[in-house]
């Protein structure tokens, strides 16, 4: 940190927070000195490559191929996933996996391949290893989906962890997706992407997970190492240079850790199903969590919260949860309440719950260093805080001043932290949302809160390895703590940061996104990207987190968010007055329409959440989900599928009242006008201020909220000669009951559309009210 960094830090906090900023700078200098004294400087290095094949050792599901200077273990699991690890690396232990590694597939055997190589042939993929260590993943028909060049390690001459590089090639027509939540996404264009969870201003959920879509097929690749690194992507080009294709390229550079990898192959649905079987089924959010949330970031009091909740009620605006930011805490300390401003918080929580509104509390990992503060004193007694290489507890700077951080990589620390949530439940809170859990210091402004030399118990090393999984382990602590304390209710945990497997414990919110049309577009990319990495429940704060959105921007953001799994508006000191009625009566009516539509679609969102838990399929899907071979859909980033039934085309630019929409194959109905369009095609639809374009797939059966709160079936007429279908999963409440999936089919019989429910005895009459829409059979003229 130089003088310019110091000035920037002080300016960021202003004169009132200059002392806090200076403490942050001093803490950063201490951390850098500690790192310099303990971490070896990278001096002379020796490069290493695998060398030629020496011998092989067949084993269950594959075997071991030994080279002159390395060895490679290949395993095909019973679920079809392929694993390989270099230098003796196995699939366990892993923060990403849910439990033990799947059993090996007994049908997959290691056998000789051409040119002195070896291969493992499985049902869904063939893994070929060349005599110099290149790895090819092929379809059953022999088409190469991915080619991993022989890896290269750089090993310090004086010892220490080796950094490594893995270069890969994919088809020239392939497109890259994934890497966690990326503002540049969902399609990842040519460029470099860092794999290091950042605080405000940077990507908070990074994962070394790529989803690659090409004509030959779809595959997901996961490099299971949590160290700092970058991946450089270069999209391919067909017919580049003398008529030859230029393949797409991925170059992964990691500062350390094992070089081990998982690959899943198949349709997008199959790829995400196998990914979920490896990393865990997504946690099922409570049914209320699929409604409208409002975040309060201010430092008001109980009456202010009541005023906000009453404002929604008086204007007949749906509201299911209010999130209280750190301003409600005593001196901004975790697991506390400012008793002067919130003297009867539990009473307030009961009042809100009677109106169908839950309270959610922010929780940060930073614990204030204040003797007499129960959380700090208890943590010191239990020895739960992260220590440095010298053995002393590491201190950083957070909102309350000097802070320490629990070591969530240790099981006993997670259990201790989870038990602290008893205080939150006792206050009436129904769930928690995690902030600054990268971990990041509120006052550090880009500086890392913990030195890289800090020790972590279960990480087997230092913070270089533990940083990216810190938030994942904190989410686990919160989830397991809430489940143990309230076993009859599904926990609600929302994380700012995370890593592969975070869906097991809850969802993700985007953190502090900017305020502007560019940020609105980025928010869609974040949600789609997280879904492709296995996190189906996510969203962004409507209107962004800084500045003042224009009424038009706020409305278009709200209309988009109403179709995303997590819908959260926000207000308070930082966000300004962001309640929908604060933008004028004209906007209020349009906002009410968006929120009413969200309430109407709640049964559909509940169904998608249940299906995500069972199949791993994201709720929000790219347009190519069911047709990855359609290249035009692979390049479309301004629309998405909500489940199988609905296509949402948000307005992402100012002044737009008509927009083009790329349609997948089949018939689609504009849900507002019931006008029919035939895909694949690019059509222009109306997008007036009161709504964004939403189209329903012909034949879809969509569960919606009807009169009195009962569930109705909204059926969109199938094309003549075709059969439609749809699913509904009733949610009995917020508990753990396994509801039965209701399956419906729709078809034409003469001049009417018939809807029937599938059962053990065949097709029967549905017991729910049915409304058929789109009965005008003639599609619109293009």
């Amino acid at each position: 940190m130089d003088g310019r960094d110091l000035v920037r830090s002080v300016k960021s906090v202003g004169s009132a927070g200059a002392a806090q900023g200076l403490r942050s700078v001093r803490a950063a200098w201490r951390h850098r000195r500690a790192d310099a004294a303990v971490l070896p400087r990278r001096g002379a290095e020796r490069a290493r490559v695998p060398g030629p094949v020496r011998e092989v050792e067949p084993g269950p599901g594959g075997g071991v191929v030994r080279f002159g200077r390395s060895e490679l273990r290949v395993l095909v699991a019973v679920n079809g996933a392929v694993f390989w690890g270099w230098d003796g690396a196995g699939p366990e232990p892993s923060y990403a996996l849910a439990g033990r590694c799947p059993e090996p597939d007994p049908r997959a055997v290691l056998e000789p391949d051409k040119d002195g190589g070896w291969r493992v042939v499985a049902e869904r993929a063939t893994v070929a290893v060349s005599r110099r260590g290149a790895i090819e993943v092929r379809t059953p028909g022999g088409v190469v989906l991915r080619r991993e060049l022989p890896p290269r390690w750089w090993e310090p001459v004086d010892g220490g962890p080796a950094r490594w590089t893995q270069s890969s090639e994919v088809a020239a027509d392939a497109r890259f997706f994934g890497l966690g939540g990326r503002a540049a996404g969902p399609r990842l264009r040519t460029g470099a992407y860092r794999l290091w969870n950042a605080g405000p201003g940077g990507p908070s959920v990074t994962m070394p997970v790529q989803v690659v879509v090409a004509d030959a097929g779809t595959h997901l690749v996961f490099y299971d190492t949590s160290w700092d690194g970058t991946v450089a992507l270069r999209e391919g080009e067909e017919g580049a240079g003398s008529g030859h294709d230029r393949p797409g390229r991925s170059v992964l550079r990691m500062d350390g850790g094992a070089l081990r990898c998982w690959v899943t192959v198949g349709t997008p649905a199959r790829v995400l199903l196998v990914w979920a079987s490896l990393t865990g089924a997504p946690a099922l959010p409570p049914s209320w969590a699929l409604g409208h949330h409002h975040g309060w970031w201010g430092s008001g009091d109980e009456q202010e919260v009541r005023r906000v909740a009453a404002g929604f009620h008086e204007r007949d605006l749906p509201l299911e949860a209010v999130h209280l930011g750190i301003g409600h805490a005593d001196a901004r300390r975790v697991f506390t309440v400012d008793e002067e401003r919130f003297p009867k918080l539990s009473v307030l929580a009961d009042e809100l719950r009677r109106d169908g509104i839950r309270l959610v509390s922010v929780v940060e990992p930073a614990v204030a260093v204040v003797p007499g503060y129960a959380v700090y004193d208890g943590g010191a007694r239990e020895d739960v805080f992260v220590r440095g290489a010298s053995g002393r507890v590491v201190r950083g700077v957070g909102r309350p001043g000097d802070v320490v951080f629990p070591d969530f990589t240790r099981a006993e620390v997670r259990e201790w932290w989870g038990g602290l949530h008893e205080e939150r439940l006792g206050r009436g809170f129904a769930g928690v949302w995690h902030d600054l859990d990268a971990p990041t210091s509120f006052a550090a402004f880009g500086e890392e809160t913990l030195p890289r030399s800090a020790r972590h118990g279960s990480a087997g090393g230092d913070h270089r390895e533990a940083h990216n999984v810190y938030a994942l382990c904190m989410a686990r602590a919160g989830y397991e703590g809430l489940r143990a304390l309230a076993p009859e209710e599904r926990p609600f945990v929302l994380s700012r940061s995370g890593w592969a497997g975070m869906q097991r414990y809850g969802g993700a919110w985007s953190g502090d996104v900017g305020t502007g049309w560019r940020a609105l577009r980025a928010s869609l990319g974040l949600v789609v990207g997280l879904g492709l990495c296995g996190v189906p429940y996510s969203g962004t704060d409507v209107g962004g987190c800084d500045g003042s959105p224009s009424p038009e921007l706020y409305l278009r953001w709200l209309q988009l968010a109403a179709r995303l799994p997590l819908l959260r508006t926000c207000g308070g000191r930082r966000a300004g007055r962001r309640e929908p009625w604060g933008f004028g009566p004209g906007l209020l009516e349009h906002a009410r329409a968006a929120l009413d539509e969200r309430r109407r679609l709640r049964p559909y969102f509940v169904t998608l959440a249940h299906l995500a838990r069972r199949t791993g399929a994201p709720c929000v899907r790219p347009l190519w989900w069911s047709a990855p071979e359609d290249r035009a859909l692979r390049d479309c980033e301004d629309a998405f599928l909500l489940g199988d039934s609905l296509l949402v085309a948000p307005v992402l630019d100012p002044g737009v009242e008509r927009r083009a929409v790329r349609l997948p194959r089949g018939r689609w109905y504009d849900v507002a006008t019931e006008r029919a369009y035939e895909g694949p095609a690019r059509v222009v639809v109306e997008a007036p201020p009161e709504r964004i374009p939403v189209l329903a797939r012909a034949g879809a059966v969509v569960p919606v909220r009807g009169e009195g709160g009962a569930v109705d079936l909204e059926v969109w007429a199938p094309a003549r000669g075709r059969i439609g279908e749809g699913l509904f999963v009733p949610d009995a409440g917020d508990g753990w009951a396994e509801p039965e999936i209701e399956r419906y089919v729709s078809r034409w019989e003469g001049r009417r559309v018939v809807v029937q429910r599938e059962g053990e005895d065949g097709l029967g009459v549905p017991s729910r009210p049915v409304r058929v829409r789109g009965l005008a059979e003639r599609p619109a003229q293009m």
Side-chain angles (χ1 to χ4, degrees):
M1 177 176 288
D2 58 21
R4 288 175 296 178
D5 296 324
L6 173 60
V7 171
R8 223 169 13 243
S9 294
V10 174
K11 283 184 176 180
S12 298
V13 295
S15 58
Q20 182 87 332
L22 290 174
R23 283 199 299 270
S24 174
V25 171
R26 288 196 293 267
W29 277 339
R30 289 197 305 270
H31 294 169
R32 291 194 177 191
R33 287 199 302 268
D35 289 347
V38 176
L39 299 181
R41 294 189 177 184
R42 193 165 294 280
E45 296 175 318
R46 286 189 295 261
R48 174 170 62 90
V49 294
V53 170
R54 298 299 187 195
E55 61 178 353
V56 298
E57 180 183 334
V64 176
V65 181
R66 296 188 175 90
F67 298 85
R69 292 176 290 276
S70 186
E71 70 175 34
L72 173 69
R73 178 184 178 186
V74 180
L75 166 71
V76 178
V78 291
N79 62 2
V82 176
F83 170 84
W84 65 76
W86 288 94
D87 290 346
E92 298 178 33
S94 170
Y95 287 98
L97 296 189
R100 301 300 304 273
C101 172
E103 293 295 319
D105 186 347
R107 300 169 297 176
V109 296
L110 185 64
E111 61 185 30
D113 197 15
K114 61 183 180 180
D115 299 328
W118 294 81
R119 66 183 182 185
V120 178
V121 180
E123 178 183 4
R124 299 185 179 277
T126 296
V127 183
V129 182
S130 78
R131 61 190 181 91
R132 289 285 179 177
I135 303 173
E136 287 185 351
V137 180
R138 305 170 183 164
T139 68
V143 178
V144 177
L145 293 176
R146 189 180 192 90
R147 185 170 191 266
E148 304 266 316
L149 303 180
R152 183 180 294 269
W153 294 266
W154 280 268
E155 300 171 330
V157 172
D158 298 329
R163 57 190 179 97
W164 50 267
T165 297
Q166 177 65 73
S167 299
S168 313
E169 294 179 348
V170 297
D173 65 279
R175 295 291 182 262
F176 295 101
F177 301 86
L179 297 184
R182 298 282 174 170
R187 174 183 164 193
L188 301 174
R189 289 174 167 77
T190 299
Y193 302 86
R194 190 180 181 191
L195 299 171
W196 189 256
N197 288 347
S204 55
V205 181
T206 66
M207 302 181 194
V209 178
Q210 294 178 23
V211 176
V212 183
V213 184
D215 289 353
T218 302
H219 72 273
L220 179 151
V221 57
F222 166 55
Y223 297 96
D224 193 355
T225 177
S226 58
W227 282 65
D228 192 1
T230 60
V231 56
L233 301 178
R234 187 196 69 188
E235 291 187 332
E237 185 178 352
E238 294 181 298
S242 302
H244 296 288
D245 291 347
R246 186 186 72 183
R249 189 173 179 86
S250 167
V251 180
L252 178 65
R253 295 181 175 89
M254 302 300 295
D255 286 350
L259 204 176
R260 52 184 183 172
C261 180
W262 285 95
V263 175
T264 68
V265 176
T267 64
R270 172 72 187 179
V271 163
L272 268 294
L273 175 64
V274 176
W275 177 241
S277 72
L278 285 174
T279 61
L284 185 64
S287 58
W288 58 262
L290 293 165
H292 172 215
H293 303 234
H294 186 73
W296 179 250
W297 290 348
S299 54
D301 55 16
E302 290 180 5
Q303 296 309 313
E304 186 72 7
V305 175
R306 285 189 175 91
R307 181 197 67 79
V308 171
F312 282 95
H313 179 73
E314 292 166 0
R315 295 167 176 84
D316 194 26
L317 299 174
L319 181 65
E320 279 71 34
V322 172
H323 294 217
L324 296 187
I326 200 66
H328 81 279
D330 178 21
R332 295 186 170 181
R333 299 172 191 164
V334 67
F335 297 116
T336 65
V337 169
D338 188 328
E339 300 291 349
E340 292 185 3
R341 293 184 296 115
F342 291 86
K344 297 180 180 180
L345 183 58
S346 58
V347 174
L348 170 65
D350 289 340
E351 293 175 359
L352 294 177
R353 189 178 286 253
R354 284 195 293 270
D355 291 333
I357 302 172
R358 268 70 170 185
L359 272 185
V360 176
S361 171
V362 68
V363 173
E364 297 181 357
V367 176
V369 180
V370 179
Y373 168 35
V375 177
Y376 173 73
D377 290 345
R381 285 194 306 270
E382 299 293 331
D383 188 21
V384 303
F385 300 125
V386 175
R387 293 181 177 272
S390 66
R392 299 179 61 183
V393 172
V394 177
R395 292 192 179 188
V397 177
R399 300 185 201 256
D402 290 340
V403 295
V404 290
F405 293 87
D407 183 359
F408 292 119
T409 67
R410 296 159 49 193
E412 64 272 20
V413 177
R414 293 195 297 269
E415 183 178 1
W416 168 80
W417 185 265
L420 296 177
H421 289 74
E422 183 175 12
E423 183 273 342
R424 296 287 88 179
L425 295 179
R427 300 278 191 175
F429 288 108
V432 296
W433 57 286
H434 294 167
D435 197 5
L436 302 182
D437 53 348
T440 306
S441 168
F442 181 77
F445 307 106
E447 289 294 323
E448 294 165 17
T449 302
L450 291 169
R452 296 196 168 200
S453 57
R455 303 303 184 190
H456 292 264
S458 296
D462 53 40
H463 196 63
R464 293 175 295 177
E465 182 177 0
H467 174 86
N468 278 340
V469 298
Y470 188 89
L472 169 71
C473 295
M474 181 181 176
R476 179 178 179 180
Y479 178 87
E480 293 176 347
L482 290 173
R483 183 165 185 178
L485 292 166
E488 301 302 319
E489 298 183 8
R490 301 198 293 265
F492 177 77
V493 177
L494 199 62
S495 299
R496 179 185 193 131
S497 295
W499 202 64
M502 64 179 295
Q503 74 277 358
R504 299 191 295 264
Y505 312 118
W509 67 287
S510 62
D512 298 340
V513 297
T515 296
W517 291 94
R518 184 176 180 181
L520 170 60
R521 184 178 292 271
S523 68
L524 175 57
L526 289 167
V527 174
V528 176
L530 284 171
L532 292 174
C533 291
V535 185
Y537 184 74
S538 67
T540 62
D541 289 326
V542 173
C545 299
D546 57 7
S548 298
S550 67
E552 182 188 11
L553 173 60
Y554 181 88
L555 177 61
R556 292 308 195 184
W557 205 315
L558 178 61
Q559 291 169 338
L560 166 62
R563 276 83 177 182
L564 300 180
L566 171 64
L567 164 59
R568 189 169 85 164
T569 53
C570 55
R573 186 180 60 188
R574 285 181 60 206
R577 296 298 182 185
R578 298 281 186 86
E579 290 77 27
W581 55 88
F583 292 90
L587 183 143
L588 177 60
E589 291 306 310
H590 300 334
R592 179 181 291 110
L595 294 176
D596 283 344
E597 180 64 8
R598 174 53 174 251
R599 178 166 53 184
R600 194 180 77 90
L601 288 176
R602 271 277 293 280
Y604 186 54
F605 275 98
V606 169
T607 295
L608 294 180
H610 277 277
L611 296 178
R613 185 176 65 85
R614 300 187 186 204
T615 68
C619 305
V620 171
R621 307 167 186 176
L623 291 188
W624 49 260
W625 178 260
S626 298
E629 70 283 355
D630 189 329
R631 296 190 179 187
L633 296 181
R634 295 206 295 258
D635 293 340
C636 183
E637 300 180 270
D638 61 354
F640 62 92
L641 297 175
L642 182 58
D644 286 331
S645 300
L646 300 178
L647 187 157
V648 182
V651 173
L652 304 174
D653 296 296
V656 172
E657 295 193 9
R658 301 180 76 221
R659 61 151 293 176
V661 181
R662 177 71 62 180
L663 297 180
R665 183 176 302 276
R667 179 173 295 180
W668 297 85
Y669 297 97
D670 186 321
V671 300
T673 64
E674 300 194 21
R675 184 179 182 182
Y677 300 89
E678 291 291 336
R682 185 176 181 269
V683 300
V684 177
V685 296
E686 299 297 322
E690 61 267 23
R691 59 182 171 85
I692 59 175
V694 178
L695 297 100
R697 189 189 301 271
V701 181
V702 183
V704 298
R705 186 177 187 268
E707 294 295 330
V711 175
D712 293 351
L713 300 178
E714 186 172 80
V715 181
W716 291 91
R720 288 280 184 173
R722 305 297 296 270
I723 294 178
E725 61 182 4
L727 304 174
F728 170 53
V729 183
D731 197 340
D734 296 333
W736 300 94
E738 284 286 345
E740 178 185 359
I741 297 179
E742 300 179 11
R743 301 177 183 273
Y744 297 92
V745 296
S746 63
R747 68 179 186 276
W748 283 94
E749 282 191 1
R751 301 181 64 181
R752 67 190 186 101
V753 173
V754 175
V755 181
Q756 294 177 298
R757 178 177 175 180
E758 291 185 351
E760 295 181 355
D761 300 327
L763 297 176
V765 178
S767 58
R768 304 183 184 278
V770 175
R771 179 191 177 196
V772 180
R773 301 184 64 185
L775 290 175
E777 297 182 50
R778 182 176 299 175
Q781 298 299 316
M782 298 296 125

